[in-house]
């Protein structure tokens, strides 16, 4: 038949791998049909087709589940969990996907009987328990197809009656047309004559909803019958899953019919002795499956049935169920499912009872740590009575700590960490951590349990936001040391840092926190290597910066500085962190100044010089040229504010000497951009600072200004760029400001050139000479721009020089005034000037001219012609 | 083989206009007679096919024109009888000792299966129901199947001939079922393949339900009751 070729390939595959299977056990072939040439290869690439299908059908299924109640955990969420837990071979999902495709095509091409046959063949697969470990996954995949089938049949009959108008959602039997009834009945007759029991049960269950078309009580009568018929299935695992499917469809179609759910469960209980029976045992021997593993295969089915029963069930029913479990000698498998399926509140309230029951369980078969795991899961969401909590923890941990296998141990321990964190103090959590370390260290068992260990950390971080408490747990850092794989380690550190940044509100100087955090940050920092991505570096830096900002030693500035020294040594590879450190130190210096109200004592003066020294030696290690420039300037300003003249001088000199290194283009967010504008910004900023810098006694007049301008002149600017001239033009206001008797701004307690030279004519003539040179340069440049294609640039340039002359020049000087007029004309010569700006400039000059000491401007303004563009 | 009722609806040379409707009054009262006729008149040493009903309409036409003819099959579904038949439950037990046609009784494994059918006289539109319990079995059971068999018996001068045909076979238990747990027997009679039990002086059709136990590899068929 259809599925045979595929199934055989799957079975042989398994056979070669496991070497235990004997021959194919796939169901007998009845008819043969052609299989597409090579369906597997076309299906294997791209996304998993099954999950695509699942995603598509998820939405439609959602609608139906509304009637069950929103608090009911839907099957779709269980489905994925089962598929991942009982990892299925790729082949299996392909088999079921292929059958699904065949089924849909058959249905689409109106071959309903063929479609039915395919569905029957599919459900037949469920009686095959070879490769038993995958049975739950197989169940999931095949019932997906059955669900689709059920939906299609229902929709088809629905559309048959929707002429002339669609049936209302709450239709009765009388609304259904006779032909629709007949068709529906036909489906049921066909299904009733299916020879094998299992397909008959599954397919009839799949179309259970169609009973609505036939009579009012159909579903109500069918459910108990199907429930009873399941007794005919000998294999307990197959039977349990059939029951799960019946319950699943039942609760979807008729959520109010609870009786058959209970019936199913009780039937399940009465067949429980089969699990330890001879046939099961021999099967397990053949397949080499251990009893504990076999038993866990049941849990999804039993849990689902119990969940259906427990949904909105009255308290007494749950109690009754518990009693029944007790009667069965506290069957561990059952107990496990009860704890998983019942409301956590219910379980939590009886936690002590449950622990008693777990203790009474038979140790063979179902491992106890799984039971405690399930209990722990309930206790993580609901609180047991306060008085019992400690006993519960002790009892549970007594068992957990005895678990030998590190894998089993950590799964269970991870669950209980939540309970411990929720209700107890750091002492208990510390004990738990110590125990975990003890179990996971031998043979480096932690290497296989990183995800659980990470989850432990996450849980602790959810409940402990006070880092002084957190780090005072002795075992916390040793616990972190178990994360030895770099990527995991960084991830853990990162999650800790995120919580720290989010929840640490106050600045701290707690040595415990600082040590631990430095340790964590160092781990993050040390993970950076040549291959680390920029983004990664940036985010790590942000986290470390977040920590540095939270550190404060209050008035103990020296300690703060030594912390910065230590941090610089620790985080030397992350540039943003270094930048932050320099800012921190600069702030420290300014803070000192504020505390001393500007008057440094000898001690504080030494301290701020130390700060300056710190910045001075840190800045060169930065690779970003603009960070370096800006920090030099900033640190220079800070040094100046703290009266460290020689330091300030050194900073600015360093900045000037770095200037030639500025590349013509820099990369910003991955794009190459011209650095010109950044450089101009910096130079302007720098010029503004130069005003207050006193000249160095050993160097000549205007030593720094000249130095800067020389650098600007030697710098290889972009071709066809006016940048150099723009620097010259903007240097003119500085020179003008320098020649004033009192400077427009100054730094307290620092004597600027105004005091040094006191308006010395030699100084003034130096300034004048410099200005003339600059203006000469600009004018020369303007001449070179005379060519047709440059006139626009010429106009702009000329106008900006004109503005500077107007604002800062003394236009009483005829030569200057004439120059200004010429520049004005030049800028308007080719009509490239913005008329609006020209008009406003004229208005401004006129306005200025009305002031008593600026009357000379009236002459100038009369000579400025406004040329119309035409 | 079949019964033919020939009813002339139109005399020769009479013209009916379009739109005239014939009511067919004979079907309902003729049916009983049809069925009994079939049984009396048909004799087949093998088995009788399904009873089918067809309407055939012939239209004779004058010379030079072909006669027209049309066949149409229809299905008869009897209304359930008004008088209620009191169900007569029957219990059965299957052990190695109750088996027929067994040569070496000693080699058989021990087992005990009990059960009952809710009625031996079933209404054809209602399913056959009952229960079966595997009390014990030495060897794991593979499958329990329910077989619906039609038995036709014909008497004639030389004695009688009996023939059994499987109508439907459905599985009610698969694998080694839980001992001591009652398993429902539930079989819907196939609509087109079953007929009511009939008994005449020299001819008999009955249905027999046969339960098949598949134990390991051997078959142990066992007649269990007659419906």
């Amino acid at each position: 038949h259809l599925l045979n070729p595929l199934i055989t390939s799957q079975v042989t595959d398994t056979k070669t791998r496991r070497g235990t299977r004997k021959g194919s056990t796939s169901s007998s072939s009845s008819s043969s049909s052609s299989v597409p040439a090579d369906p597997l290869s076309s299906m294997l690439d791209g996304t998993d087709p099954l999950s695509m299908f699942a995603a598509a059908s998820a939405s439609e299924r959602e609608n139906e589940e509304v009637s069950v109640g929103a608090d009911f955990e839907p099957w779709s969420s269980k489905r994925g969990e089962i598929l991942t837990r009982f990892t299925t071979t790729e082949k299996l999902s392909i088999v079921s996907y292929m059958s699904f495709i065949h089924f849909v095509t058959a249905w689409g091409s109106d071959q309903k009987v063929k479609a039915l046959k395919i569905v029957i063949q599919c459900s037949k697969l469920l009686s095959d328990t070879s490769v038993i470990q995958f049975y739950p996954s197989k169940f999931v995949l095949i019932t997906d197809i059955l669900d689709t089938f059920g939906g299609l049949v229902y929709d088809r009959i629905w559309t048959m009656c929707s002429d002339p108008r669609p049936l209302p959602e709450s239709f009765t039997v009388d609304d259904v047309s006779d032909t629709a009834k007949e068709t529906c009945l036909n489906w049921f007759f066909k299904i009733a004559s299916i020879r094998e029991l299992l397909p008959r049960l599954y397919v009839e269950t799949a179309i259970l909803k169609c009973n609505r078309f036939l009579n009012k009580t159909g579903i109500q009568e069918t459910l108990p019958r199907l429930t009873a018929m399941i007794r005919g299935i000998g294999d307990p695992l197959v039977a349990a899953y059939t029951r799960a499917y019946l319950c699943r469809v039942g609760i979807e179609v008729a959520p109010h019919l609870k009786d058959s759910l209970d019936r199913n469960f009780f039937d399940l209980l009465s067949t429980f002795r089969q699990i330890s029976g001879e046939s099961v045992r021999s099967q397990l021997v053949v397949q080499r499956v251990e009893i504990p593993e076999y038993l866990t295969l049941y849990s999804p089915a039993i849990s689902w049935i119990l969940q259906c029963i427990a949904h909105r069930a009255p308290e007494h029913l749950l109690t009754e169920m518990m009693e029944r479990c007790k009667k069965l000698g506290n069957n561990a498998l059952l107990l496990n499912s009860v704890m998983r399926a019942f409301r956590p509140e219910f379980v939590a309230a009886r936690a002590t009872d449950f622990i008693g029951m777990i203790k009474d369980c038979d140790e063979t078969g179902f491992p106890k740590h799984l039971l405690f795991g399930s209990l722990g899961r309930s206790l993580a969401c609901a609180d047991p009575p306060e008085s019992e909590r400690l006993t519960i923890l002790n009892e549970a941990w007594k068992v957990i700590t005895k678990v030998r296998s590190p894998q089993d141990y950590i799964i269970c321990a991870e669950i209980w960490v939540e309970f411990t964190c929720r209700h107890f103090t750091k002492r208990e959590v510390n004990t738990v951590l110590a125990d975990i370390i003890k179990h996971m260290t031998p043979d480096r068992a932690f290497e296989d349990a990183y995800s659980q260990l990470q989850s432990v950390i996450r849980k602790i971080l959810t409940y402990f936001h006070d880092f002084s408490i957190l780090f005072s747990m002795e075992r916390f850092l040793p616990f972190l040391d178990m994360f030895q794989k770099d990527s995991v380690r960084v991830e853990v550190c990162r999650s800790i840092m995120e919580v720290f940044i989010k929840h640490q509100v106050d600045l701290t100087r707690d040595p415990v926190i600082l040590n631990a955090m430095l340790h964590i940050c160092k781990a993050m920092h040390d993970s950076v290597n040549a291959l680390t991505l920029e983004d990664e570096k940036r985010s790590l830096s942000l986290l470390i910066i977040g920590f540095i900002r939270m550190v404060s030693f209050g008035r103990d500035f020296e300690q703060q500085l030594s912390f910065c020294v230590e941090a610089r040594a620790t985080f030397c590879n992350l540039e943003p962190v270094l930048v932050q450190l320099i800012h921190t130190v600069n702030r420290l210096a300014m803070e000192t100044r504020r505390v001393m109200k500007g008057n440094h004592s000898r001690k504080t003066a030494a301290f701020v010089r130390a700060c300056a020294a710190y910045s001075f030696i840190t800045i060169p290690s930065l690779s970003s040229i603009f960070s370096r420039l800006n920090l030099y300037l900033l640190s220079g300003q800070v040094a100046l504010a703290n009266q460290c003249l020689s330091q300030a001088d050194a900073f600015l000199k360093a900045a000037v000497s770095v200037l030639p290194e500025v590349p013509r283009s820099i990369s910003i967010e991955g794009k190459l951009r011209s650095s010109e504008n950044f450089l101009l910004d910096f130079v302007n900023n720098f010029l503004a600072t130069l005003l207050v810098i006193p000249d160095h006694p050993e160097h000549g007049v205007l030593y720094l200004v000249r130095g800067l301008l020389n650098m600007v002149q030697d710098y290889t600017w972009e071709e066809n760029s006016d940048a150099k001239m723009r620097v010259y033009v903007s240097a003119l206001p500085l020179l003008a400001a320098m020649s004033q008797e009192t400077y427009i701004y100054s730094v307290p307690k620092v004597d600027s050139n105004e005091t040094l030279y006191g308006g010395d004519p030699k100084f003034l003539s130096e300034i004048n000479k410099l200005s003339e040179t600059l203006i000469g340069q600009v004018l020369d440049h303007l001449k070179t721009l005379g060519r047709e294609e440059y006139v626009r640039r010429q106009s702009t340039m000329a106008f900006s020089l004109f503005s500077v002359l107007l604002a800062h020049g003394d236009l009483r000087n005829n030569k200057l005034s004439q120059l200004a007029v010429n520049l004005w004309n030049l800028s308007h010569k080719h009509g490239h000037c913005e008329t609006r700006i020209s008009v406003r400039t004229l208005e401004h000059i006129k306005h200025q001219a009305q002031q008593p000491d600026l009357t000379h401007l009236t002459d100038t303004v009369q000579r400025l012609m406004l040329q119309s563009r035409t | 083989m079949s019964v033919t009722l020939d009813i002339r609806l139109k005399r020769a040379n009479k013209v009916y206009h379009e739109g005239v409707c014939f009511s067919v009054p004979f079907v309902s009262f003729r049916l009983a007679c049809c069925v009994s006729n079939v049984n009396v008149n048909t004799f087949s040493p093998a088995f009788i096919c399904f009873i089918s009903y067809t309407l055939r309409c012939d239209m004779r036409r004058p010379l030079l024109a072909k006669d027209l003819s049309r066949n149409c099959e229809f299905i008869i579904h009897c209304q359930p009888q008004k008088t209620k038949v009191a169900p007569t439950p029957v219990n059965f037990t299957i052990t190695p000792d109750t088996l027929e046609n067994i040569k070496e009784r000693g080699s058989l494994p021990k087992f005990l299966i009990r059960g009952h059918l809710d009625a031996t006289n079933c209404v054809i539109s209602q399913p056959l129901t009952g229960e079966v319990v595997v009390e014990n079995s030495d060897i794991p059971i593979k499958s329990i199947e329910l077989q619906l068999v039609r038995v036709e018996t014909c008497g004639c001068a030389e004695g009688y001939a009996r023939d059994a045909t499987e109508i439907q076979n459905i599985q009610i238990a698969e694998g080694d079922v839980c001992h001591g747990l009652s398993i429902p027997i539930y079989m819907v009679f196939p609509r087109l393949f079953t007929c009511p039990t009939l008994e005449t002086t020299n001819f008999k059709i009955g249905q027999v339900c046969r339960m098949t136990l598949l134990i390991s590899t051997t078959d142990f068929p066992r007649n269990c009751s007659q419906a």
Side-chain angles (χ1 to χ4, degrees), chain B residues 187-203:
Chain B
M187 183 196 269
V188 178
F189 292 115
R191 279 206 289 188
L192 294 177
F193 301 99
T194 34
C195 68
T197 301
L198 287 169
E199 211 162 326
T200 58
T201 41
N202 55 355
F203 193 82

Side-chain angles (χ1 to χ4, degrees), chain B:
Chain B
M1 252 297 296
S2 64
V3 183
T4 332
L5 283 174
D6 194 0
I7 300 172
R8 250 160 227 249
L9 293 176
K10 174 184 164 300
R11 276 171 295 162
N13 301 327
K14 176 137 184 162
V15 176
Y16 288 98
H17 294 287
E18 198 184 358
V20 171
C21 201
F22 301 112
S23 62
V24 188
F26 59 91
V27 176
S28 57
F29 71 88
R30 284 283 181 185
L31 264 180
C33 136
C34 283
V35 171
S36 64
N37 280 352
V38 167
N39 288 311
V40 174
N41 291 345
T42 318
F43 175 76
S44 156
F47 50 83
I48 304 160
C49 288
F50 321 114
I51 301 160
S52 65
Y53 298 90
T54 48
L55 276 180
R56 182 188 161 96
C57 183
D58 290 315
M59 188 162 128
R60 298 191 196 290
R61 296 209 280 179
L63 217 68
L64 298 176
K66 268 193 181 168
D67 291 353
L68 292 178
S69 171
R70 174 99 187 180
N71 254 340
C72 175
E73 184 176 347
F74 64 97
I75 291 167
I76 304 260
H77 182 81
C78 298
Q79 289 297 313
Q81 282 167 327
K82 288 274 156 31
T83 50
K84 283 218 166 150
V85 187
T88 47
V90 58
N91 291 321
F92 60 87
T93 315
I94 312 175
T95 63
D97 299 330
T98 61
L99 297 182
E100 297 160 9
N101 311 324
I102 300 293
K103 279 167 194 154
E104 297 167 64
R105 215 163 274 276
S107 65
L108 287 180
K110 276 190 188 147
F111 60 86
L112 170 62
I113 292 168
R114 279 184 225 280
H116 70 264
L117 288 178
D118 288 337
T120 46
N121 271 328
C122 302
V123 184
I124 201 164
S125 59
Q126 296 294 314
L128 170 75
T129 54
E131 269 182 357
V132 58
V133 184
V134 179
E135 294 289 356
N136 56 59
S137 164
D138 283 358
I139 288 182
I141 294 169
K142 269 194 130 178
S143 170
I144 301 178
E145 285 171 14
L146 204 60
Q147 200 177 20
L148 186 66
V149 178
R150 181 173 50 234
V151 178
E152 298 152 42
T153 320
C154 306
C156 60
E158 294 87 36
Y160 68 93
R162 209 170 121 163
D163 199 90
T165 325
E166 176 185 307
I167 307 172
Q168 178 169 273
N169 187 356
I170 62 167
Q171 192 184 35
I172 55 168
E174 182 187 357
D176 195 12
V177 287
C178 193
H179 296 180
L181 198 67
S182 66
I183 298 161
I185 294 174
Y186 182 87
M187 183 196 269
V188 178
F189 292 115
R191 279 206 289 188
L192 294 177
F193 301 99
T194 34
C195 68
T197 301
L198 287 169
E199 211 162 326
T200 58
T201 41
N202 55 355
F203 193 82
K204 203 157 91 177
I205 300 183
Q207 256 84 229
V208 161
C209 194
R210 194 189 283 180
M211 190 170 288
T212 314
L213 274 182
L214 279 153
I215 305 182
S216 297
T217 48
T218 356
D219 273 3
F220 296 99
R222 152 86 182 136
N223 283 1
C224 89
S225 72
Q226 197 168 15

